[in-house]
Amino acid sequence: MNEPELPPDGRPVDVYLDLLRIRMASEDYELLLSVVDPVLRAIEEQHLPALDFALEDSQQDGLPQEIRDEAALVIATAVTGRLDNKVIELRVDDTGPIRVVTDADTAADPVRLGEIADYIRERRRLDDELRGIAEVSDLPTDL
């Protein structure tokens, strides 16, 4: 759905949530809302410390992958204003696939996906290096 197709005064995230409400089982939709509501409020109030966050924290243990994916797409729609976001899996090392949200054009571009995988590898390398420095300095290592 493109911006001209949106109803007047319709925010893309509201349109996407309405579509999900129709498509999802009620209990799944309520679970999804419990995950995304705090993030959507923080985005609206501009209180997010960074745009990089994970749905893998301890309070989300047991959350079905489909709900995690939809939550990521709802949040991406709120941040980007786009309705063409996709969840893709990238293999960046031997630990298994990493799920990433991106726009449809990037999701279809193998070169760009390779660049994203390279970025994730470099970021992990830097995190490991910083964790090592913190460890030998007797600082917290929960980066």
Side-chain angles (χ1 to χ4, degrees):
M1 184 178 290
N2 295 326
E3 209 172 309
E5 298 174 43
L6 293 177
D9 300 325
R11 295 182 318 164
V13 70
D14 295 331
V15 171
Y16 191 66
L17 284 169
D18 286 343
L19 292 171
L20 290 175
R21 183 182 304 119
I22 294 166
R23 193 184 71 162
M24 295 177 80
S26 295
E27 55 276 352
D28 288 345
Y29 183 75
E30 291 302 319
L31 180 58
L32 173 72
L33 285 182
S34 72
V35 173
V36 299
D37 271 345
V39 178
L40 295 178
R41 262 187 263 117
I43 290 170
E44 193 169 297
E45 297 169 4
Q46 299 178 3
H47 288 146
L48 279 184
L51 292 178
D52 186 21
F53 54 90
L55 291 171
E56 302 294 332
D57 65 8
S58 59
Q59 74 180 152
Q60 301 308 327
D61 285 345
L63 192 64
Q65 189 62 53
E66 180 183 347
I67 302 295
R68 288 176 193 253
D69 289 350
E70 288 298 350
L73 291 169
V74 168
I75 294 165
T77 301
V79 171
T80 66
R82 297 178 65 136
L83 292 165
D84 68 339
N85 298 303
K86 296 194 177 294
V87 175
I88 58 165
E89 285 189 354
L90 295 175
R91 290 212 173 268
V92 296
D93 55 25
D94 294 335
T95 62
I98 294 177
R99 299 174 86 74
V100 176
V101 177
T102 188
D103 63 272
D105 291 337
T106 300
D109 183 348
V111 172
R112 186 70 181 111
L113 294 178
E115 292 170 352
I116 293 169
D118 290 344
Y119 172 80
I120 293 170
R121 278 186 208 96
E122 178 62 14
R123 183 159 175 184
R124 282 185 167 183
R125 187 192 66 73
L126 287 173
D127 284 351
D128 289 343
E129 186 176 319
L130 290 172
R131 194 172 285 111
I133 292 169
E135 198 172 280
V136 298
S137 302
D138 290 327
L139 296 170
T141 59
D142 55 345
L143 299 174

